[in-house]
Amino acid sequence: NVAAGQVVAVARPGAVMPDGTRLGRAKLRGVESDGMILAEDEVSIGIDHDGIMVLPDDLVPGTPLADVLPIATDVLELEITPNRPDCLGVYGVAREVHAATGAPLADPPWAGVPSLSGGVPGFDVEVRDRDLCPRFTVRRFDEVTIGPSPAWLKARLSAAGQRPINNVVDITNYVMLLTGQPLHAFDADLVSGGKLTVRRARDGETITTLDAVERTLDSSTVLIEDAHGPTSIAGIMGGARSEVGPHTTRVLIEAATWNGPNIQRTSTRLGLRTEASGRFEKQLQPEQTVEAQAVAARLMSRLTGARSVGGMIDAGGWSPPPRRSIHLRDGAVKDLLGAGPEPPEQRAILERLGFGARSAPGGLDVTVPHWRRGDVTREADLVEEVGRIWGFDKLPVTLPSRRGVSGRLEPTQRLRRRAEDALASRGLYEILGWSFTGPGVVERLGIGPDDARSRAVRIVNPMSEEQSFLRTTLLGSLLDNVRRNRARGAEDVRLFERGAIYIARAGIEPHRFAYGRSPSAGTLRRPETIPGLDRLPAEHEHVGALLAGRMRPPSWRDPEPPRADFFVAKGVLAALLDTLRVPWRVEPAQEPFLHPGRSARVLIGEDATPVGWLGELHPTVAHAWEIEDAVAGFEIDLGAVLDAAPEGLDFEDVTSFPAVRQDVAVDLPADVPAAQVVEIVRSSGGALLHHVEVFDVYEGAQVGEGRRSLALRLEFRAGDRTLTDEEVAERRAKIVAALAQVDGRLRG
């Protein structure tokens, strides 16, 4: 659409475009280009790319474009906390800036607009579920001319991430960004029957929304419908049937208040999140509907030439509640914060935030504005308002002047940290995995249906299919991390994790949990009073470790360091349990995911309570996680181990009286485990046997086929005297006699 004599926007070589592109010289069809004539979308003030921008003829060529067009050069990105929906509108943010800086605050954009009464000719509204829609307002505008919005409006919407469409739709989006209250525009001629009804959807009912997607609803969803059926999903997205188009001449502007939690649940279930739902779910206040209608009316008249017809339909039965009044005591701010401004400054801060404040005996009586109704409910909330504007950074860094306020760890917490430190000191790195796992992990580990670890609880609303169950073992999380590290070039991996596992109770149909929801529905009660507690899965605190690759870096003295295997994992487990002073041992056992000849059960205490497994992973299991070499590790019930740990440590003298050390070689059948031999020696050696260890193994012709020799180092010690040879010989004789029960005898 270029023509002679036009004034147009041009970017010369070297100009930087909004997307960061820097223009250079180029040849087009053999002609050198000295710049580019711009369209709206190329300067981010619209979406029109069909033709160039034609500027007013009275502009002087060479004028900087920034002086002509309302290009947004400064954009603020704010993170608004869920308790402050009033700051989801620009005016709410301006109110905060005014309170924090004292800068002048303009009157609200809805100020000065007279209130309307009476209905709208030709239209009616019925609200059937007032608990879900306390207020529903509608205004009618005739003689509407649909067209593009002015450049200033397009620029502001584009800077805020909105796509300009036409003047009516752009007005609704602009008002939402300004006031925080979403609006919806209906083509009045497409509202069948002249009546809008707000109701719950029927299970299985469908609607095609503005994004051209047909959505299936349930009875928790709120709809707006006319005589021909649903026209929009309340608070989330309008329907395609009644949207404003190029031929629209009459418009109904709707502004409503919806039940925030219901909007959030519907948005989550449908997987449909919009600018409107993000505001409504935080619970807007009914007064905001009228404020937004006032601003929209001004813009409709100014930008579309529309004429307001009739008054305003105000349905839903809402009536303004009395303004909440809270007494703020004179000393409350300093008592709660430890410091703070004087009462006159407190009053000034609250008034700048929009609160009403008047002097009262002993303090201030503060009235809460409607936009803070859901957030400020008590004196402590007012103290917070004063403190954050005054500046929490001004608070002195001191401890409360009370006795007994210093924090300390409980005994179990100290033991837990001691266990983590023991693993970290052995070169293991801690990981933090999800409490969730995928549906096929148990099967990939070979765990059968009769195993308690196969009783996993399904999550109703998982974040993904790979996180749709509560985990019953830490092994899957550890293997995922070993694989991830290996895939990124880390061949030598030593990891541990402490976390919870969840086992559904046997014989009881488990709950299906919803992520992020408390089983007690947020009510603080004693555990035994929570309904259905007996159906909750059993939660256990476990600690697990996996090791793969070399156990230390190679060096010129040791070019091939030892690699992960059963005994390396056992050494790490020993470091953990010995640090906690828990007596333990292992015995051969079978786990479906462990190598048949390199697996064991971990037992603790005098009663040999089983608390977990130790061993090397079965090659097929390791291969399922794309790990081709040996992986060793363990997983134990840390809660049970901590319960068995002694509460205190007693001093033991090990230096005053000398020890008597003797080495013995025992000839016994090859299938007798060394751990069993050590246990027999310990139990028969009595209190004088201080330590026993195996330091050598021999199999060969000198002991015969099917037998082997274990060399044991014995250390005898008494805490109150020096032992005699006779005492040691007596203990040794009892040990030799006890070894006969496994067909053991001294060599030589």
Side-chain angles (χ1 to χ4, degrees), residues 651-659 661 690 715 717-719 721-722:
F651 169 78
E652 181 181 357
D653 184 1
V654 295
T655 60
S656 296
F657 298 95
R661 298 178 179 87
H690 186 263
E715 180 180 308
R717 183 194 299 275
R721 66 190 187 280
T722 300

Side-chain angles (χ1 to χ4, degrees), residues 228-422:
H228 283 169
T231 64
S232 60
I233 302 175
I236 300 179
M237 183 175 284
R241 183 162 55 83
S242 60
E243 66 177 315
V244 172
H247 304 294
T248 299
T249 58
R250 298 197 306 159
V251 171
L252 296 180
I253 298 291
E254 167 258 310
T257 305
W258 307 101
N259 180 284
N262 177 265
I263 296 297
Q264 191 276 333
R265 287 192 294 269
T266 300
S267 174
T268 301
R269 190 187 66 80
L270 295 176
L272 180 60
R273 187 165 184 83
T274 61
E275 290 276 359
S277 69
R279 288 166 168 76
F280 282 126
E281 68 186 15
K282 297 172 179 62
Q283 196 54 68
L284 303 181
Q285 297 302 321
E287 290 90 340
Q288 294 177 254
T289 59
V290 178
E291 296 169 355
Q293 288 281 19
V295 180
R298 281 179 169 172
L299 292 174
M300 288 291 291
S301 174
R302 174 182 169 187
L303 303 182
T304 73
R307 176 174 58 87
S308 178
V309 177
M312 181 178 71
I313 298 175
D314 192 350
W318 178 83
S319 58
R323 294 187 67 181
R324 181 183 295 121
S325 179
I326 303 173
H327 183 68
L328 178 63
R329 294 169 292 130
D330 282 335
V333 173
K334 292 184 178 179
D335 288 345
L336 195 58
L337 300 181
E342 296 301 320
E345 187 177 354
Q346 296 176 23
R347 178 172 183 171
I349 289 174
L350 292 171
E351 288 178 340
R352 291 202 302 270
L353 286 170
F355 292 84
R358 62 181 180 84
S359 298
L364 294 173
D365 283 341
V366 180
T367 53
V368 180
H370 66 266
W371 61 86
R372 301 300 303 278
R373 182 183 295 138
D375 181 40
V376 178
T377 60
R378 54 182 180 159
E379 183 186 59
D381 297 331
L382 295 177
V383 172
E384 180 186 7
E385 294 300 302
V386 171
R388 69 184 182 84
I389 298 299
W390 178 68
F392 286 138
D393 57 316
K394 298 178 183 177
L395 297 178
V397 183
T398 59
L399 291 174
S401 57
R402 301 196 303 273
R403 298 182 62 186
V405 298
S406 59
R408 62 183 62 183
L409 297 177
E410 296 179 351
T412 301
Q413 292 174 314
R414 290 198 295 271
L415 288 172
R416 187 180 292 116
R417 290 197 179 183
R418 193 179 301 163
E420 294 172 340
D421 290 344

Side-chain angles (χ1 to χ4, degrees), residues 608-690:
T609 303
V611 294
W613 58 265
L614 163 72
E616 294 183 26
L617 289 188
H618 195 287
T620 58
V621 173
H623 181 73
W625 267 268
E626 302 172 8
I627 305 170
E628 301 304 330
D629 55 346
V631 181
F634 61 83
E635 181 177 345
I636 59 174
D637 187 334
L638 184 60
V641 171
L642 297 182
D643 290 341
E647 294 184 0
L649 299 179
D650 297 329
F651 169 78
E652 181 181 357
D653 184 1
V654 295
T655 60
S656 296
F657 298 95
V660 178
R661 298 178 179 87
Q662 293 187 358
D663 294 344
V664 297
V666 182
D667 175 7
L668 72 167
D671 59 353
V672 176
Q676 184 179 359
V677 175
V678 171
E679 186 63 28
I680 292 173
V681 172
R682 279 203 184 105
S683 60
S684 58
L688 297 181
L689 182 61
H690 186 263

Side-chain angles (χ1 to χ4, degrees), residues 28-60:
L28 301 177
R29 293 180 291 277
V31 179
E32 185 172 313
S33 169
D34 283 317
M36 180 173 68
I37 302 177
L38 301 173
E40 284 187 354
D41 65 331
E42 290 167 331
V43 291
S44 295
I45 64 168
I47 61 172
D48 186 11
H49 190 71
D50 292 337
I52 63 174
M53 288 186 295
V54 179
L55 304 178
D57 294 339
D58 57 353
L59 291 176
V60 178

